[in-house]
Amino acid sequence: MMTIPRFHSNSSWLALCGLLGLLAPASGEGDSVVRFANGDRLSGSVESLTTERLVWNSPILEMPTTLRLDQVLDVTLPSEIPEFEAGHEATLTLTNGDTVRGQVASVTDDVIQLDTWFAGRLEFRRLMVKSLEISERPDLLYRGPNGLAEWTQSNEDPAAWTFQSGALRSNAEGSIGREVDLADECSIAFDVSWRGMLKLNVIFFSDDVKNRNPENGYELVFVRNTVHLRKSGNHNWLGQTSDAGELRENEKARIEIRASLKTGMIAFFVDDRIVDVWTDPELAGATFGKGLQFVSQDSSPVRISVIEVATWDGVLDVMPEPRGARRQLNQFRQFGMRGAELAPPEPPKPEEEGRMVLRNGDSLKGEVLSITDGFITVKTEYSEVKLPVARLRNITLKTVDLEEPKRMSGDVRAWFADGSSMVFRLDEVNEDTLVGYSQTFGTSEFKTTAFSRIEFNIYSLDMEEIRSGEAW
């Protein structure tokens, strides 16, 4: 019978961490990666997990080793999303910052029920839900990134990008890409964060992901808040916009590109706001590939995460504001009242309580009576209306005094393969499931194969400092 060494003293633990720091591969590649409080990391696999101990198996260790969780920063795990059918995807944002994805089962004044693929039906207390957004759920072609191995770096810059904590991170000028089998009409969305100024190229429908200047495809070029669109392999610019003020004012954004090879239309979104639409007048006869590439323009760090590529029906349900109005708004943002006689833009009117926005821009005011089989029934002033949940952009919740869940000893922050994140107290670890408790949703059982990462010691100031600064 194999004896597993157990480390109880701080000196023994630090000695082990020092040894791991010498032996662990620099890339951190492997099925799983455990990271420690001193910054060391070790690839391998989870042998077992309890609420206090992690037994880790690694090729560089003689035998599985028991590690104390109070010295573990996080564990990255291989995860997968099973195939399932759903007409919509709902995103719940909780008061503690968590976001949970699933399908709306019911909404009342007290609770919101969400059907999830990783824990079945979860019931959230209304007092701890900030918002409920709805989106269509098209056929997903790719969701990641899931590791460096599934991506190809350009021949010119073979090590410009690394993979860390579920994100691609650039450390030098260079390209990273992969074949995604892009549909002729598709949506490409991703989270991006940067320092100082965003300098990034995104190439889609590429025919050579090993080359940062492929002969075919489309290329979005980001320089601060100015975005250019051109054909790859030449300098035929199809358009540009300086209306993405979010890229100047922040250092992170959600980018979405909707592209159609049938019509030549390319729509550009920032943080769910449509910024501009361009059309390629020379689409006929053009050759395109199936590749997606991210190209860092210099050594300024860029992080790419939560990449989602899906089919698209080719129809835009919203259009950008008129260019004159957008130009005036951007001038006011940049210069205020200096050098331009501009009136400040009127703040958007708040949505009336109980009013829901539809995907075509219409709105509907009423009381939600039921949600069944993907259809919502709303009692309006005139009659009851029944429509698919997927046609909504949001479900306006009744105004309440929000509360945050209490912090508890043993809380972990779990990340799932679809980008959901949840904080809960880790109560029990079984062979195929973890059991957790939170004031937000009570006690629930989660499939272990659903986790992409689990963070420990999430209220430790020292470890949070490591986590917040690790990207750069």
Side-chain angles (χ1 to χ4, degrees):
M1 178 174 171
M2 181 178 290
T3 302
I4 300 176
R6 297 181 181 273
F7 298 86
H8 297 286
S9 71
N10 287 336
S11 59
S12 298
W13 175 260
L14 292 174
L16 172 65
C17 286
L19 175 63
L20 297 180
L22 293 173
L23 297 178
S27 64
E29 291 294 317
D31 290 340
S32 302
V33 176
V34 60
R35 297 194 305 156
F36 303 98
N38 70 344
D40 290 338
R41 62 180 61 210
L42 179 65
S43 58
S45 60
V46 177
E47 186 84 3
S48 66
L49 176 66
T50 70
T51 57
E52 296 181 351
R53 295 283 192 272
L54 167 67
V55 179
W56 191 256
N57 193 8
S58 174
I60 69 171
L61 298 176
E62 230 176 89
M63 60 186 69
T65 302
T66 300
L67 310 173
R68 284 170 30 196
L69 286 184
D70 63 358
Q71 297 293 331
V72 174
L73 191 69
D74 60 27
V75 174
T76 302
L77 303 164
S79 58
E80 57 183 3
I81 303 176
E83 293 185 4
F84 64 94
E85 295 184 2
H88 74 279
E89 185 167 75
T91 302
L92 240 64
T93 302
L94 307 181
T95 54
N96 65 352
D98 288 348
T99 56
V100 189
R101 294 181 174 184
Q103 287 69 50
V104 180
S106 71
V107 176
T108 71
D109 290 346
D110 300 318
V111 298
I112 298 171
Q113 291 185 332
L114 205 66
D115 288 331
T116 69
W117 61 273
F118 50 81
R121 180 162 294 181
L122 295 174
E123 186 172 279
F124 296 87
R125 296 177 61 193
R126 168 66 189 96
L127 297 173
M128 297 180 180
V129 177
K130 290 177 64 176
S131 64
L132 174 56
E133 304 295 328
I134 307 293
S135 62
E136 295 178 286
R137 191 179 185 277
D139 294 333
L140 201 63
L141 303 174
Y142 172 79
R143 177 175 268 157
N146 306 299
L148 203 60
E150 66 179 24
W151 293 81
T152 299
Q153 306 222 39
S154 62
N155 295 328
E156 305 98 315
D157 318 281
W161 292 79
T162 59
F163 178 80
Q164 183 176 336
S165 301
L168 299 173
R169 180 198 185 279
S170 71
N171 51 53
E173 180 182 357
S175 166
I176 190 167
R178 61 163 287 147
E179 296 286 331
V180 186
D181 195 23
L182 296 173
D184 286 348
E185 293 184 310
C186 62
S187 164
I188 302 166
F190 57 91
D191 287 350
V192 58
S193 56
W194 62 93
R195 284 292 178 91
M197 182 185 300
L198 178 59
K199 294 182 179 180
L200 176 73
N201 295 14
V202 181
I203 306 174
F204 46 102
F205 296 123
S206 165
D207 63 350
D208 184 5
V209 296
K210 295 181 180 179
N211 184 350
R212 65 175 171 177
N213 296 297
E215 289 297 320
N216 293 296
Y218 291 104
E219 186 170 4
L220 274 183
V221 180
F222 294 79
V223 180
R224 204 177 184 185
N225 69 307
T226 301
V227 183
H228 304 264
L229 174 68
R230 69 183 176 190
K231 279 282 194 65
S232 297
N234 59 47
H235 295 287
N236 294 336
W237 296 98
L238 299 174
Q240 72 172 53
T241 181
S242 298
D243 294 327
E246 297 91 337
L247 304 182
R248 180 183 62 247
E249 298 160 3
N250 306 309
E251 290 189 328
K252 63 179 180 179
R254 178 72 175 172
I255 303 296
E256 183 182 3
I257 304 162
R258 297 182 192 175
S260 171
L261 292 182
K262 296 180 181 180
T263 63
M265 180 171 62
I266 296 172
F268 171 57
F269 295 74
V270 177
D271 292 338
D272 295 324
R273 180 181 70 86
I274 187 167
V275 176
D276 220 324
V277 179
W278 302 288
T279 302
D280 180 5
E282 300 177 355
L283 177 65
T287 302
F288 296 97
K290 300 290 186 180
L292 171 65
Q293 295 175 246
F294 298 100
V295 185
S296 54
Q297 299 174 14
D298 56 24
S299 60
S300 301
V302 176
R303 291 180 76 249
I304 304 292
S305 61
V306 196
I307 304 170
E308 294 179 321
V309 182
T311 57
W312 176 45
D313 61 8
V315 177
L316 286 176
D317 47 28
V318 291
M319 294 299 292
E321 297 175 5
R323 292 183 184 274
R326 284 182 286 157
R327 186 177 300 112
Q328 186 185 48
L329 176 60
N330 286 331
Q331 286 177 339
F332 181 80
R333 283 174 173 169
Q334 186 171 1
F335 301 111
M337 297 303 294
R338 292 175 299 167
E341 296 181 0
L342 298 174
E346 294 184 5
K349 296 180 180 179
E351 286 294 338
E352 195 176 343
E353 183 177 333
R355 186 168 291 278
M356 292 167 280
V357 180
L358 278 64
R359 303 207 67 77
N360 64 357
D362 293 341
S363 62
L364 179 70
K365 181 181 180 181
E367 175 189 355
V368 177
L369 296 180
S370 66
I371 299 177
T372 307
D373 298 328
F375 283 83
I376 183 171
T377 302
V378 181
K379 182 181 179 181
T380 71
E381 183 180 353
Y382 307 102
S383 63
E384 290 186 7
V385 177
K386 185 176 181 179
L387 68 161
V389 175
R391 289 185 58 187
L392 297 172
R393 287 186 176 276
N394 72 306
I395 296 179
T396 304
L397 305 174
K398 183 178 180 180
T399 302
V400 296
D401 293 328
L402 297 176
E403 298 179 2
E404 288 195 22
K406 292 181 179 179
R407 295 182 172 188
M408 292 177 284
S409 176
D411 275 357
V412 299
R413 181 180 294 112
W415 296 83
F416 299 89
D418 66 354
S420 297
S421 65
M422 300 177 70
V423 171
F424 55 81
R425 185 183 66 206
L426 182 58
D427 286 344
E428 185 180 336
V429 180
N430 303 312
E431 183 176 354
D432 299 317
T433 61
L434 299 183
V435 178
Y437 169 81
S438 168
Q439 280 189 308
T440 303
F441 57 82
T443 297
S444 187
E445 195 171 50
F446 303 89
K447 300 175 183 177
T448 54
T449 55
F451 296 101
S452 61
R453 181 159 54 106
I454 300 177
E455 298 179 8
F456 304 95
N457 307 297
I458 61 175
Y459 305 130
S460 164
L461 295 179
D462 292 339
M463 292 200 184
E464 279 304 289
E465 186 176 347
I466 296 173
R467 268 188 275 263
S468 62
E470 66 185 0
W472 311 114

